[in-house]
Amino acid sequence: MHRRRGTSATSLSGSIQWNMRYISDLRRRIRNLEIEAAELSQRLNMLLVDQDVTRAQNNYLRLFVQAAEHQLQLQYALNLSLQEEIRHLKQLTTMEPHRVSINLFQSEQSTSQSGDATNDHDKSEPEGK
């Protein structure tokens, strides 16, 4: 029986040592995981800040592109208007000089006659009464 106690004591001592090493290993793993968690948390915070910066830059660029598109539309409309004006001026300069003055005179007469026609119409009604 004495021998059994010795074997049991040795076995118990080995088991205690194994448990102590196991607990020590678990504590080391916990520390490593805590360090890794802190590093990941820090990286996440940096990524969130980067995301906010990127979102702000994206919004700025979106507004910039919209403004550029609007400016392009305005330039296109101005270009069309200028092309039409140039076409009109070319037509006027290719006409004979007396025809230009006649055309201008006729357009002035037609606007004044349309005004006179309404005045004549107004004048004719009171006479009929």
Side-chain angles (χ1 to χ4, degrees):
M1 194 172 216
H2 186 48
R3 201 169 178 197
R4 265 191 187 173
R5 278 190 186 171
T7 309
S8 290
T10 306
S11 177
L12 181 62
S13 174
S15 178
I16 290 173
Q17 287 179 355
W18 184 86
N19 283 339
M20 297 278 282
R21 282 191 306 265
Y22 182 71
I23 290 171
S24 176
D25 185 51
L26 287 177
R27 287 182 178 155
R28 183 185 52 78
R29 287 182 186 178
I30 288 171
R31 279 193 306 271
N32 289 341
L33 289 173
E34 286 173 342
I35 291 170
E36 187 178 348
E39 289 172 355
L40 290 173
S41 177
Q42 186 178 17
R43 285 180 59 193
L44 176 63
N45 287 334
M46 289 173 51
L47 289 172
L48 291 174
V49 168
D50 287 348
Q51 180 186 19
D52 290 342
V53 169
T54 302
R55 186 175 288 128
Q57 288 174 341
N58 190 30
N59 288 338
Y60 170 78
L61 290 174
R62 184 179 298 120
L63 292 174
F64 181 81
V65 167
Q66 287 174 351
E69 287 174 345
H70 182 69
Q71 184 178 6
L72 184 64
Q73 290 171 353
L74 291 175
Q75 287 176 344
Y76 181 73
L78 179 62
N79 189 29
L80 287 178
S81 177
L82 289 173
Q83 286 176 351
E84 180 62 29
E85 183 68 21
I86 288 169
R87 186 189 61 74
H88 178 70
L89 290 173
K90 281 182 179 179
Q91 284 179 346
L92 289 177
T93 57
T94 58
M95 289 183 172
E96 297 173 20
H98 69 281
R99 285 187 67 201
V100 171
S101 61
I102 291 172
N103 285 344
L104 291 175
F105 179 72
Q106 286 176 347
S107 67
E108 287 177 6
Q109 275 188 339
S110 67
T111 56
S112 65
Q113 284 178 358
S114 65
D116 291 343
T118 57
N119 289 340
D120 290 342
H121 179 62
D122 292 341
K123 289 178 187 175
S124 65
E125 283 182 16
E127 290 177 10
K129 287 185 178 177

